[in-house]
Structure formats: C-alpha cells, structure tokens
C-alpha cells in the first residue's frame, strides 16, 4: 500500500527547480521547515532591507519607502512559498518514513504562524496606507516656499522639511549671495531633509533665526546656524525623532537611539536630549528661553524684529496700513484717532521704503502710540488712570531687581541724562507679561479718553492731595524726586523713592486717590 502511494507522487526529475521542488513538498520536513521556511524566508528579506537602507540613505524618502514596500511584498510571497511547501512536506513526512508527531508539531506551528501573520497584517493596515502614500510622493509637511527679504540679508524658508527643501535653499543662496541669515518657519518633516538643510546652512556659514515656530526636524536645520536667535514670542519645539510606518513597539528603541545620536552630534547636553526623547512624537516640548540658552540651542537673546519681514510684505502704503491694523491696538487707534494713526503710517512707510528691519518700523508705531497716550492721560477715565498707575508701580517693582537705571527711565521717560552711558529701555528688560498688560491698558485709554473727563482743580486742592500722597516719604526721598540732577546721580535711590510714592498713592482713601491721580496725570 505504501509503495502505491509513493508511485502516485513520484519525485521530480533532476531538471526540477529548487523552488518547484519545495513548493511540492519534495524536500525533507527538517530541511523544508528550518532551512527554507524559517531561515530563507526571513533572512533574505532582512538582508534586502539592509542593502536597501544603504542604497537609499541619500535619496528622497519616497524611494526608500517604495523599496520597503517591495521587500514587504516579496516577504509575503516568500513566506507563502515557504509555508505551503512545508505543509506539503509535513503531509508526506509519514509516507517517507517519518514520525507522526513531527508532522503534527510542524503543522501546529504553521497554523500559529498564519494566525500571527494575519493578526500583524491587520494591525499594520493603517501604517501600510501611510507607507503607500509616502511611496507615491506624499510629504509630512506643507509645500516649501522661499522668500528673499527686500534688504537682501535674510531668506525665509517656510513649510515642511520636505524632499528637495535643501536643494531649493541651495539654489536660492546661489542667486542671493548677500544673504546672511536663514529665517526658519517649519513644523518639521523628514529627519534626513532637516539634516540636509542644516548642511547647506553650515556650508554657507549662515545665521539662523526663528520669527514664529521651528519644531521637530526643523531644529536640526536651526542648530546649524553660526548665530542662533529667536523672536521672544516665537517657539522652538522638540520631540523624539520617529520612524514613519512599521510597528511602533519595534521602532521605539530605534527611535530613541536615533534621537540621542542625532542631537548628541549637535552638541546638546544629555539631560536636554533625555527630555526630547521622553516627549512623544504626537506632542512637542517648547523649552523656555533660559533653557534654550543654557543648552546651547540659542547663542544669544534677541529683542525681535531683526529682519525686514514687514518691509517685504508691505509693497504699498495701503498694505502696510492693513498689516498695522491686524494688531488690536493700532486698529483701535485707527478708529478712535484716525489723524494720529495716519501720521504713524506715514512715518512707518518711510522706514519700509528704506527696507528697515521690523524693529525699526514697529518702534515708530510704539513711539507714536506713546506720545498719543501721554496726551490722552489728562482726559482718560478714572478706571484707565487707576490701571495706568498700577501698571507703572508693578513695572517699577519688577525693574528694581533688574536695572535701577531702567526703573528711573520708566518713571521719568523724558530724562535723557547719561543716556550714552548705558541707560536701558524698560521695555527691553521687562518680561513679556508687562508688554501684554501695557497693550490692554493702552487700548482702554485710546477708547475711553474723552474731553468730558478733564477736571480743573484749585491750587489748594492740588496742594492738599499731593501733600497727602507725599506724606509717607522721607525728606531725602523728597529732595531726590524734586531734583533732576540728583535723580541722574542716584538711580537706585530714585527708583526706591518712586516706588514708595506710587505705593503711597494706592494707600489713599478711594475718593482722595481718584482726585490725586487726576491731579497728578493732568500735569503730564
């Protein structure tokens, strides 16, 4: 009976190929399972991926992803070939004189393998869709655009770190040799492209600057700058570098190593990189300015507005006016004080035509708003006066611990003595929260200023409320505040005396305080 069974499935002749013989189950069970199925169907794809990684290392992501998908398809075919041939070999194992338990064990392992393969395939479907999209050319970020600023000194790179971003940057730099700074505005993209953009920046020995945001792989490009700075309102974000597609559980250790290796080569401290690696790819960590400086991400603090962004956008006076009106403060100024706003735009337009940086154009606007605010204080509402006085006190207290000279300049803005010797502008050293409060206070002042709020007081009334406010001050403090020369010689004492005076105003009874503020600021 066994001979008859063997004759019905005669062995293939010498000309039969290796692949067809395995497919028909004509090799021994041990060879079919261990060599053909376990070893060949897993080893060959692994070697192919290793070779592919080397070949596509310097190629766009779509080529590497297309290769991965091709190898994955080949792996499925190889696995199917190995499993089917092994199953047939197991079915013929007893007929060839083998033991039944070996057939049962191998078939059980094959069934377990099929279940595992189906499960992992279903789990990988979302990742597979993403990989196919990338192989067809999809990028991780929006299209890249380049903008040469009108002063010719800075170049904006905006969009994703997509394939070709570095090549485009190189072309723009070849056409604009006067560029000294690359302004980066990107939420990231490919790690490879971030590195390549960084190589272009490093090769041309350029500075890097962030006006709004630079996150993820954009930081790799940013770190290539010789001088690295950011607008105080901008954000630089980090998260662990990650592999697109594949099993997240398998990629996790590789991604962590990639993060440490990549940022370690850029010279960032281990603790800083540890925080980056611990931040999931779906989130971003935005370090504070102090942390960025301490870690060496930034080489210096910047006041902001260092490039000619506004002058580039504002190709006409009307466009410049529209840009100014995007800010709530200037929009209110245009509605309530159109003549002063028109003058502000005229002065800013002259700066824009001269291709001045943003800081100079905005400084014109701030100066005009400041002049208008001082003129409006005598007719401000009681609420605006109280808000102004409290802000002035809080700013003076904050500046006392930073710079007494800046504190004195805040209280006496018209005093310019010893300006060349290093007096600091208060706005340059105060935290951003004070700038925000000042904007809100100024908006209220511009809206509610009304000539009907003006009040006249007799000399006796003025003298009475001022004496009440000055009562808590010492004789030395009174002499200091009354003498411009002494104020210039003793900024620390002037700051302390000014703070004492402002606090004394707050301690007056409500009605007396209201009159005192009206008397005080009507004399501005």
């Amino acid at each position: 009976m066994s001979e008859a069974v063997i004759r019905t499935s005669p062995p293939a002749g010498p000309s039969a190929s290796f692949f067809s013989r395995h497919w028909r189950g004509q090799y021994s069970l041990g060879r079919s399972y261990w060599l053909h199925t376990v070893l060949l169907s897993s080893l060959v794809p692994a070697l192919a991926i290793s070779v592919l990684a080397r070949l596509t290392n310097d190629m766009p992501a779509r080529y590497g992803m297309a290769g991965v998908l091709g190898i994955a398809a080949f792996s499925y075919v190889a696995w199917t070939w190995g499993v089917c041939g092994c199953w047939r070999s197991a079915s013929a194992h007893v007929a060839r004189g083998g033991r039944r338990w070996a057939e049962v064990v191998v078939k059980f392992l094959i069934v377990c393998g099929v279940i595992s393969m189906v499960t992992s395939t279903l789990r990988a479907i979302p990742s597979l869709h993403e990989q196919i999209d990338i192989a067809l050319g999809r990028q991780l970020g929006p299209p890249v655009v380049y903008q040469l600023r009108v002063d010719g000194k800075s170049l904006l790179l905006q969009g994703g770190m997509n394939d070709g971003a570095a090549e485009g940057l190189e072309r723009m730099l070849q056409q604009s040799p006067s560029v000294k700074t690359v302004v980066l505005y990107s939420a990231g993209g490919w790690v490879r492209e971030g590195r390549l953009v960084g190589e272009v920046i490093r090769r041309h020995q350029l500075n890097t600057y962030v006006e709004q945001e630079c996150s993820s792989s954009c930081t790799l490009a940013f770190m290539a700058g010789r001088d690295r700075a950011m607008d105080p309102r901008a954000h630089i974000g980090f998260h662990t570098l990650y592999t697109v597609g594949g099993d997240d559980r398998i990629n996790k250790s590789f991604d962590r190593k990639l993060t440490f290796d990549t940022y370690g080569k850029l010279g960032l401290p281990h603790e800083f990189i540890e925080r980056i690696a611990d931040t999931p790819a779906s989130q971003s960590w935005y370090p504070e300015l102090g942390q960025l400086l301490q870690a060496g991400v930034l080489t210096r603090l910047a006041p902001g507005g260092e490039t000619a962004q506004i002058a580039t956008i504002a190709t006409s006076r009307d466009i410049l006016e529209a840009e100014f009106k995007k800010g709530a403060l200037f929009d209110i100024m245009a509605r309530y004080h159109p003549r002063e706003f028109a003058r502000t735009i005229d002065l800013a337009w002259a700066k824009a035509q001269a291709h001045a940086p943003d800081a100079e154009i905005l400084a014109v606007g701030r100066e005009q708003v400041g002049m208008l605010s001082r003129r409006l204080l005598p007719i401000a509402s009681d609420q605006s006066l109280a808000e102004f006085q409290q802000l002035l006190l809080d700013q003076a207290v904050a500046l006392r611990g930073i710079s007494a000279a800046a504190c004195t300049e805040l209280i006496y803005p018209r005093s310019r003595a010893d300006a060349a010797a290093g007096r600091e502008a208060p706005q340059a050293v105060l935290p951003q929260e004070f700038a925000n409060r000042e904007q809100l206070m100024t908006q209220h002042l511009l809206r509610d200023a009304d000539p009907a709020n003006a009040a006249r007081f007799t000399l006796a009334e003025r003298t009475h409320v001022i004496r009440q406010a000055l009562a808590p001050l010492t004789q030395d403090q009174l002499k200091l505040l009354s003498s411009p020369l002494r104020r210039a010689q003793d900024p620390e004492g002037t700051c302390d005396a000014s703070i004492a005076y402002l606090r004394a105003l707050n301690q007056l009874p409500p009605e007396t305080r209201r009159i005192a503020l009206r008397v005080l600021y009507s004399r501005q």
Side-chain angles (χ1 to χ4, degrees), residues 22-39:
H22 171 82
W23 179 257
R24 295 170 183 167
Q26 293 172 346
Y27 285 109
S28 67
L29 182 57
R31 175 173 175 172
S32 294
Y33 181 76
W34 292 110
L35 181 61
H36 302 170
T37 304
V38 175
L39 187 60

Side-chain angles (χ1 to χ4, degrees), residues 295-342:
V297 176
L298 299 178
T299 57
R300 63 180 176 88
L301 284 174
E306 296 189 359
T307 70
Q309 179 186 20
I310 295 175
T312 302
I313 297 172
T315 55
S316 71
R317 187 187 182 284
D318 289 342
I319 294 176
L320 179 63
E321 181 176 328
E323 285 296 315
F324 265 71
K325 285 184 177 179
K326 288 179 180 178
L329 178 59
F330 289 106
D331 183 55
I332 292 170
M333 185 182 183
R335 286 188 282 123
Y336 288 86
H337 308 277
R339 185 165 51 187
E340 288 79 1
F341 178 72

Side-chain angles (χ1 to χ4, degrees), residues 259-276:
T259 301
F260 271 93
D261 290 347
T262 302
Y263 285 110
K265 290 178 181 177
L266 295 177
L268 295 184
H270 181 85
E271 296 78 10
F272 194 88
I273 303 175
E274 186 83 36
R275 178 67 185 273
I276 297 174

Side-chain angles (χ1 to χ4, degrees), residues 155-427:
L155 176 68
L156 171 68
L157 186 159
Q158 180 176 353
M161 287 292 150
N162 299 335
D163 292 331
E167 293 179 7
L169 178 61
E170 180 66 41
R171 286 194 300 270
M172 291 294 296
L173 292 174
Q174 293 294 339
Q175 298 168 13
S176 310
S178 62
V179 169
K180 302 298 181 185
T181 300
V182 175
V183 181
L184 296 166
Y185 183 14
S186 172
W190 303 118
V191 171
R192 167 187 172 275
E193 204 63 30
R195 287 171 173 164
L196 292 178
V197 171
E199 289 176 10
V200 174
I201 292 172
R202 193 175 290 109
R203 186 165 59 251
H204 287 269
Q205 299 184 342
L206 301 175
N207 305 321
T208 49
Y209 188 72
V210 179
E211 291 173 339
Q212 298 187 60
E213 180 176 3
C214 176
S215 300
S216 188
S217 60
C218 175
T219 59
L220 306 180
F222 178 78
M223 288 295 297
R226 295 178 63 187
D227 177 77
R228 302 184 295 275
M230 61 180 281
D231 186 285
R233 295 163 297 182
H235 302 283
I236 295 180
F238 298 87
H239 60 65
T240 186
L241 304 178
Y242 67 100
T243 305
V244 176
D247 192 326
D248 290 340
R249 295 172 300 178
I250 298 175
N251 292 341
K252 189 173 182 179
S253 59
F254 173 81
D255 293 345
R256 189 172 182 84
K257 183 178 185 303
L258 174 65
T259 301
F260 271 93
D261 290 347
T262 302
Y263 285 110
K265 290 178 181 177
L266 295 177
L268 295 184
H270 181 85
E271 296 78 10
F272 194 88
I273 303 175
E274 186 83 36
R275 178 67 185 273
I276 297 174
D278 290 340
T279 303
S282 58
Q283 303 175 14
S284 284
W285 169 49
Y286 296 101
E288 297 178 354
L289 278 172
Q291 293 174 300
L292 293 170
L293 281 167
Q294 186 176 12
V297 176
L298 299 178
T299 57
R300 63 180 176 88
L301 284 174
E306 296 189 359
T307 70
Q309 179 186 20
I310 295 175
T312 302
I313 297 172
T315 55
S316 71
R317 187 187 182 284
D318 289 342
I319 294 176
L320 179 63
E321 181 176 328
E323 285 296 315
F324 265 71
K325 285 184 177 179
K326 288 179 180 178
L329 178 59
F330 289 106
D331 183 55
I332 292 170
M333 185 182 183
R335 286 188 282 123
Y336 288 86
H337 308 277
R339 185 165 51 187
E340 288 79 1
F341 178 72
R343 172 173 169 74
T344 299
I345 297 302
D346 287 340
L347 295 171
W349 176 237
K351 289 285 187 181
Q353 288 180 303
H355 301 162
D358 293 4
E360 292 186 23
I361 295 175
L362 294 175
V364 169
R366 284 194 296 269
E367 182 180 8
Q368 293 301 306
V369 169
M371 292 170 59
L372 176 60
S373 298
R374 287 192 292 273
R375 292 203 310 270
L376 295 177
L377 275 175
I379 59 173
S381 67
D382 291 335
Q383 181 180 353
S384 287
L385 282 180
E387 191 177 357
F388 175 82
Q389 194 271 344
Q390 186 61 51
L391 175 63
L392 193 64
L393 172 59
D394 293 342
Q395 287 177 322
V397 171
L399 285 171
R400 182 62 182 88
I402 301 173
S403 166
C407 173
T408 300
E409 188 66 25
L410 173 76
I411 305 298
Y412 299 95
R414 294 175 185 172
S415 63
R416 292 292 180 263
D418 298 329
R423 285 208 173 183
E424 301 169 82
Q427 290 78 10

Side-chain angles (χ1 to χ4, degrees), residues 138-154:
R138 181 177 73 86
Q139 302 295 324
L140 295 183
V144 185
V145 294
Y146 307 90
Q147 181 191 69
L148 179 66
R149 299 283 163 81
V150 292
D151 59 358
K153 298 178 182 179
S154 56

Side-chain angles (χ1 to χ4, degrees), residues 66-132:
V68 168
L69 289 173
I71 292 173
F74 169 77
S75 299
Y76 276 100
V77 172
W79 179 84
T80 302
W81 167 80
V83 165
C84 290
C86 190
W87 184 275
R88 289 169 179 153
S89 177
S91 298
H93 183 63
V94 175
R96 288 196 297 262
R99 297 181 178 274
R100 174 70 64 181
W101 66 264
E103 174 189 355
V104 173
V105 169
V106 168
K107 287 187 175 182
F108 173 77
L109 293 175
I110 289 174
V111 170
C112 291
V114 170
I115 294 173
S116 176
M117 177 64 75
V118 171
T119 302
S120 61
T121 300
L122 292 175
R123 191 171 58 243
I125 287 177
S127 176
L128 184 62
H129 287 164
E130 185 178 26
Q131 290 175 317
I132 291 173

